[in-house]
Coordinates of all heavy atoms in Angstrom, one line a residue:
M10 N 57.9 16.7 78.9 CA 59.0 17.6 79.4 C 60.4 17.1 78.9 O 61.3 17.8 78.9 CB 59.0 17.7 80.9 CG 57.7 18.4 81.4 SD 57.3 19.9 80.6 CE 58.7 20.9 81.1
S11 N 60.5 15.8 78.5 CA 61.8 15.3 78.0 C 62.0 15.7 76.5 O 63.1 15.5 76.0 CB 61.8 13.8 78.1 OG 60.9 13.2 77.3
R12 N 61.0 16.3 75.9 CA 61.1 16.6 74.5 C 61.7 18.0 74.3 O 61.6 18.8 75.3 CB 59.8 16.6 73.8 CG 59.1 15.2 73.8 CD 57.7 15.3 73.2 NE 57.0 14.0 73.3 CZ 55.7 13.9 73.5 NH1 55.0 14.9 73.7 NH2 55.2 12.7 73.6
P13 N 62.2 18.4 73.2 CA 62.6 19.8 72.9 C 61.4 20.7 73.1 O 60.3 20.3 72.9 CB 63.1 19.8 71.5 CG 63.5 18.4 71.2 CD 62.5 17.5 72.0
R14 N 61.7 21.9 73.5 CA 60.6 22.8 73.9 C 59.6 23.0 72.8 O 58.4 23.0 73.0 CB 61.1 24.2 74.3 CG 60.0 25.2 74.7 CD 60.5 26.5 75.3 NE 59.4 27.3 75.7 CZ 59.5 28.5 76.2 NH1 60.7 29.0 76.4 NH2 58.5 29.2 76.5
R15 N 60.0 23.0 71.6 CA 59.1 23.2 70.4 C 58.1 22.1 70.4 O 56.9 22.3 69.9 CB 59.9 23.3 69.1 CG 59.1 23.4 67.9 CD 59.9 23.4 66.6 NE 59.1 23.3 65.4 CZ 58.4 24.4 64.9 NH1 58.5 25.5 65.5 NH2 57.7 24.2 63.8
E16 N 58.4 20.9 70.8 CA 57.6 19.8 70.7 C 56.7 19.6 72.0 O 55.9 18.6 72.1 CB 58.4 18.5 70.5 CG 59.2 18.5 69.2 CD 60.0 17.2 69.0 OE1 59.8 16.3 69.8 OE2 60.9 17.2 68.2
R17 N 56.7 20.6 72.9 CA 55.9 20.5 74.1 C 54.6 21.2 73.9 O 53.7 21.1 74.8 CB 56.6 21.1 75.3 CG 58.0 20.4 75.6 CD 58.7 21.1 76.7 NE 60.0 20.7 76.9 CZ 61.0 21.3 77.7 NH1 60.6 22.3 78.4 NH2 62.2 20.8 77.7
N18 N 54.4 21.8 72.8 CA 53.1 22.5 72.6 C 52.1 21.6 71.9 O 52.3 21.2 70.8 CB 53.3 23.8 71.7 CG 52.1 24.6 71.6 OD1 51.1 24.2 71.0 ND2 52.2 25.8 72.1
F19 N 51.1 21.2 72.6 CA 50.2 20.2 72.1 C 49.3 20.8 71.0 O 48.7 20.0 70.2 CB 49.4 19.5 73.2 CG 48.6 20.4 74.1 CD1 47.4 21.1 73.7 CD2 49.0 20.6 75.5 CE1 46.7 21.9 74.6 CE2 48.2 21.4 76.3 CZ 47.1 22.0 75.9
T20 N 49.1 22.1 70.9 CA 48.3 22.6 69.8 C 49.1 22.5 68.5 O 48.6 22.0 67.5 CB 48.0 24.1 70.0 OG1 47.2 24.2 71.2 CG2 47.2 24.7 68.9
R21 N 50.4 22.8 68.6 CA 51.3 22.7 67.4 C 51.3 21.2 67.0 O 51.2 20.8 65.8 CB 52.7 23.2 67.7 CG 53.7 22.9 66.5 CD 55.1 23.3 66.9 NE 55.2 24.8 66.9 CZ 55.5 25.5 67.9 NH1 55.6 24.9 69.1 NH2 55.6 26.8 67.9
R22 N 51.6 20.3 67.9 CA 51.7 18.9 67.6 C 50.4 18.3 67.1 O 50.5 17.4 66.2 CB 52.2 18.1 68.9 CG 53.6 18.5 69.3 CD 54.1 17.5 70.4 NE 54.3 16.2 69.9 CZ 53.6 15.1 70.3 NH1 52.6 15.3 71.2 NH2 53.8 13.9 69.8
F23 N 49.3 18.8 67.6 CA 48.0 18.2 67.1 C 47.9 18.4 65.6 O 47.3 17.5 64.9 CB 46.9 18.8 67.9 CG 45.6 18.1 67.6 CD1 45.2 17.0 68.4 CD2 44.7 18.5 66.6 CE1 44.0 16.3 68.2 CE2 43.5 17.9 66.4 CZ 43.1 16.8 67.2
F24 N 48.3 19.5 65.1 CA 48.1 19.8 63.7 C 49.3 19.4 62.8 O 49.1 19.2 61.6 CB 47.8 21.3 63.5 CG 46.4 21.7 64.0 CD1 46.3 22.3 65.2 CD2 45.3 21.4 63.2 CE1 45.0 22.6 65.7 CE2 44.0 21.8 63.6 CZ 43.9 22.4 64.9
L25 N 50.5 19.3 63.4 CA 51.7 19.1 62.6 C 52.3 17.7 62.8 O 53.2 17.3 62.0 CB 52.7 20.2 62.9 CG 52.3 21.6 62.6 CD1 53.5 22.6 62.8 CD2 51.7 21.8 61.2
D26 N 51.9 17.0 63.8 CA 52.5 15.7 64.1 C 51.3 14.7 64.1 O 50.6 14.6 65.1 CB 53.2 15.7 65.4 CG 53.9 14.3 65.7 OD1 53.7 13.4 64.9 OD2 54.5 14.2 66.8
P27 N 51.2 13.8 63.1 CA 50.1 12.9 63.0 C 50.0 11.9 64.2 O 49.0 11.5 64.6 CB 50.3 12.1 61.7 CG 51.1 13.1 60.9 CD 52.0 13.8 61.9
T28 N 51.2 11.6 64.8 CA 51.2 10.6 65.9 C 50.5 11.2 67.1 O 50.1 10.4 68.0 CB 52.6 10.2 66.2 OG1 53.4 11.4 66.7 CG2 53.4 9.6 65.0
A29 N 50.4 12.5 67.2 CA 49.8 13.1 68.4 C 48.4 12.7 68.6 O 47.8 12.7 69.7 CB 50.0 14.6 68.4
R30 N 47.7 12.5 67.5 CA 46.3 12.2 67.5 C 46.0 10.7 67.9 O 44.8 10.4 68.2 CB 45.6 12.5 66.2 CG 45.8 13.9 65.7 CD 44.9 14.3 64.6 NE 45.2 15.7 64.2 CZ 44.3 16.4 63.5 NH1 43.1 15.9 63.1 NH2 44.6 17.7 63.2
T31 N 47.0 9.9 68.0 CA 46.7 8.5 68.4 C 46.4 8.4 69.8 O 45.9 7.3 70.3 CB 48.0 7.6 68.1 OG1 49.1 8.1 68.8 CG2 48.3 7.7 66.6
L32 N 46.5 9.5 70.6 CA 46.1 9.5 72.0 C 44.6 9.5 72.1 O 44.1 9.2 73.2 CB 46.6 10.7 72.7 CG 48.1 10.7 73.1 CD1 48.5 12.1 73.6 CD2 48.3 9.7 74.2
F33 N 43.9 9.8 71.1 CA 42.4 10.0 71.2 C 41.7 9.2 70.1 O 42.2 8.9 69.1 CB 42.1 11.5 70.9 CG 42.9 12.5 71.7 CD1 44.0 13.2 71.1 CD2 42.7 12.7 73.1 CE1 44.7 14.1 71.8 CE2 43.5 13.5 73.8 CZ 44.5 14.3 73.1
P34 N 40.5 8.8 70.4 CA 39.7 8.0 69.4 C 39.5 8.9 68.2 O 39.3 10.1 68.2 CB 38.3 7.8 70.1 CG 38.6 7.9 71.6 CD 39.7 8.9 71.7
P35 N 39.5 8.2 67.0 CA 39.4 9.0 65.7 C 38.2 9.9 65.7 O 38.2 11.0 65.1 CB 39.4 7.9 64.7 CG 40.1 6.8 65.3 CD 39.8 6.8 66.7
E36 N 37.0 9.4 66.2 CA 35.8 10.2 66.1 C 35.9 11.5 67.0 O 35.0 12.3 66.9 CB 34.6 9.3 66.6 CG 34.7 8.8 67.9 CD 35.3 7.4 68.0 OE1 36.2 7.1 67.1 OE2 35.0 6.6 68.9
D37 N 36.9 11.6 67.9 CA 37.0 12.8 68.7 C 38.0 13.8 68.1 O 38.1 15.0 68.6 CB 37.5 12.4 70.1 CG 36.5 11.6 70.9 OD1 35.4 11.4 70.4 OD2 36.9 11.1 71.9
H38 N 38.7 13.5 67.0 CA 39.7 14.4 66.5 C 39.1 15.7 66.0 O 39.7 16.8 66.3 CB 40.4 13.7 65.3 CG 41.2 12.5 65.7 ND1 41.9 11.7 64.8 CD2 41.5 12.0 66.9 CE1 42.6 10.8 65.5 NE2 42.3 10.9 66.7
A39 N 38.0 15.7 65.3 CA 37.4 16.9 64.8 C 37.1 17.9 65.9 O 37.3 19.1 65.8 CB 36.2 16.7 64.0
G40 N 36.5 17.4 67.0 CA 36.2 18.3 68.1 C 37.4 18.9 68.8 O 37.5 20.0 69.2
H41 N 38.5 18.0 69.0 CA 39.7 18.6 69.5 C 40.3 19.6 68.6 O 40.8 20.7 69.1 CB 40.7 17.4 69.7 CG 40.5 16.5 70.9 ND1 40.5 17.0 72.2 CD2 40.2 15.2 71.0 CE1 40.2 16.0 73.0 NE2 40.0 14.9 72.3
A42 N 40.3 19.4 67.3 CA 40.9 20.4 66.4 C 40.1 21.7 66.5 O 40.8 22.8 66.6 CB 40.8 19.9 65.0
R43 N 38.8 21.7 66.6 CA 38.0 22.9 66.6 C 38.3 23.6 67.9 O 38.4 24.9 68.0 CB 36.6 22.6 66.5 CG 35.6 23.7 66.3 CD 34.2 23.3 66.0 NE 34.2 22.6 64.7 CZ 34.1 23.3 63.6 NH1 34.0 24.6 63.6 NH2 34.0 22.6 62.4
T44 N 38.4 22.9 69.1 CA 38.7 23.5 70.3 C 40.1 24.2 70.4 O 40.2 25.3 70.9 CB 38.6 22.5 71.5 OG1 37.3 21.9 71.5 CG2 38.9 23.1 72.8
H45 N 41.1 23.5 69.8 CA 42.4 24.1 69.8 C 42.4 25.4 69.0 O 43.0 26.4 69.5 CB 43.4 23.1 69.1 CG 43.8 22.0 70.0 ND1 44.3 22.1 71.3 CD2 43.9 20.6 69.7 CE1 44.6 21.0 71.8 NE2 44.4 20.0 70.8
V46 N 41.8 25.4 67.9 CA 41.8 26.7 67.1 C 41.0 27.8 67.7 O 41.5 28.9 67.8 CB 41.2 26.4 65.7 CG1 41.1 27.7 64.9 CG2 42.1 25.4 64.9
A47 N 39.9 27.5 68.3 CA 39.0 28.5 68.9 C 39.7 29.1 70.2 O 39.6 30.3 70.4 CB 37.7 27.9 69.3
T48 N 40.4 28.2 70.9 CA 41.1 28.7 72.1 C 42.3 29.6 71.7 O 42.5 30.7 72.3 CB 41.6 27.5 72.9 OG1 40.5 26.7 73.3 CG2 42.3 28.0 74.2
L49 N 43.1 29.2 70.7 CA 44.2 30.0 70.3 C 43.8 31.3 69.7 O 44.4 32.3 69.9 CB 45.0 29.2 69.3 CG 46.3 29.9 68.8 CD1 47.2 30.2 70.0 CD2 47.1 29.0 67.8
R50 N 42.6 31.4 69.0 CA 42.1 32.6 68.5 C 41.8 33.6 69.6 O 42.1 34.8 69.6 CB 40.9 32.4 67.6 CG 40.3 33.7 67.1 CD 39.1 33.5 66.2 NE 39.5 33.1 64.8 CZ 39.9 34.0 63.9 NH1 40.0 35.3 64.2 NH2 40.2 33.6 62.7
S51 N 41.2 33.1 70.7 CA 40.8 33.9 71.8 C 42.1 34.4 72.5 O 42.1 35.6 72.9 CB 40.0 33.0 72.8 OG 39.7 33.8 74.0

């Protein structure tokens, strides 16, 4: 919440900000990416 509003969207940050993925183990990245896209499409 201390960031600018544009940087509060974790779907945008997951794909556009490489540092966002350091929160998760590398082997989980593909699953997170697929979930973000499928949810946004819905």
Side-chain angles (χ1 to χ4, degrees):
M10 298 307 297
S11 67
R12 301 174 183 143
R14 182 173 181 180
R15 176 180 172 78
E16 298 177 16
R17 298 176 194 172
N18 187 294
F19 54 71
T20 300
R21 174 186 286 112
R22 292 190 66 245
F23 190 86
F24 288 100
L25 302 185
D26 182 358
T28 64
R30 302 196 181 198
T31 61
L32 283 171
F33 312 104
E36 58 269 26
D37 295 350
H38 292 178
H41 283 298
R43 189 171 295 277
T44 298
H45 283 312
V46 175
T48 301
L49 184 56
R50 179 179 279 281
S51 178

